[in-house]
Amino acid sequence: MFWGLLRGLLRGLLRGQITVEALDDTGTIRDSFTLSQSSGSTAIALPGRFEVEDYNAGYWDSSAGNNGGVYRGDDVDIQATSDNSGAYNVAWITAGEWLAYDVNVASAGMYTFAIRAATPYSDRKIHLELDGANISGPIALPNTGSWQRWTTVTTAPIALPSGRHTLRLVADTDSLNLNHLTVAAMSGTATTEAPAATTQPSE
């Protein structure tokens, strides 16, 4: 186990990021995650909108290399998007993959998350975690008809504490594309609300 962790740290330092691998007694990798430092340490301010591909606190991707070949040089699969509200989207997502964000919540209160997504399949799901705790439960993403026909799914209100936290977006199923998230404060939360997210699909 120790040598697996050390190997991952050394490999990651050479790439400008840290990858940690947990090995069993036979040398088989049982788990791994990557802490990416390419976006710096500036926290994302919430409420507000941010691009899914702008993860700044780590990720886990099930395959090596960026299948889309654009925007970043790590293992997260990113492609150009035809959505009218962003240049790129995260794609080739498989169940269990996650992206993490260093966020700073202006004030404690209730917030909604508007998730821009596309998929030609039904019954797709993701969930949100804050500091390791599931805060959303399963979020259902509808069949939009194609990989680049987009819709916005808005969660029920979610309680967020103030201050700096790690927000993680986790794929519960595969075969979905993600573009951006808009986090908006509900009435009564002592902060400025983000602009309302659209709710209509667009090509």
Side-chain angles (χ1 to χ4, degrees), residues 40-138:
S41 60
T42 302
I44 297 169
L46 300 183
R49 171 180 148 172
F50 60 93
E51 296 294 318
V52 172
E53 65 269 16
D54 286 337
Y55 48 92
N56 60 1
Y59 69 86
W60 184 77
D61 194 280
S62 62
S63 61
N66 177 351
N67 284 333
V70 296
Y71 192 62
R72 300 180 73 146
D74 52 35
D75 295 331
V76 177
D77 305 312
I78 301 171
Q79 64 181 180
T81 183
S82 64
D83 192 10
N84 58 14
S85 53
Y88 305 100
N89 64 261
V90 176
W92 292 280
I93 295 171
T94 63
E97 293 184 344
W98 54 263
L99 302 168
Y101 308 85
D102 179 16
V103 300
N104 191 14
V105 182
S107 300
M110 303 301 293
Y111 293 81
T112 58
F113 289 75
I115 302 155
R116 194 73 169 161
T119 176
Y121 296 95
S122 301
D123 301 321
R124 305 297 96 180
K125 292 182 175 66
I126 63 173
H127 74 269
L128 301 169
E129 297 178 0
L130 194 72
D131 300 331
N134 189 331
I135 59 172
S136 69

Side-chain angles (χ1 to χ4, degrees), residues 175-191:
S175 302
L176 54 99
N177 287 350
L178 298 170
N179 188 351
H180 58 74
L181 276 75
T182 301
V183 183
M186 300 293 292
S187 177
T189 298
T191 186

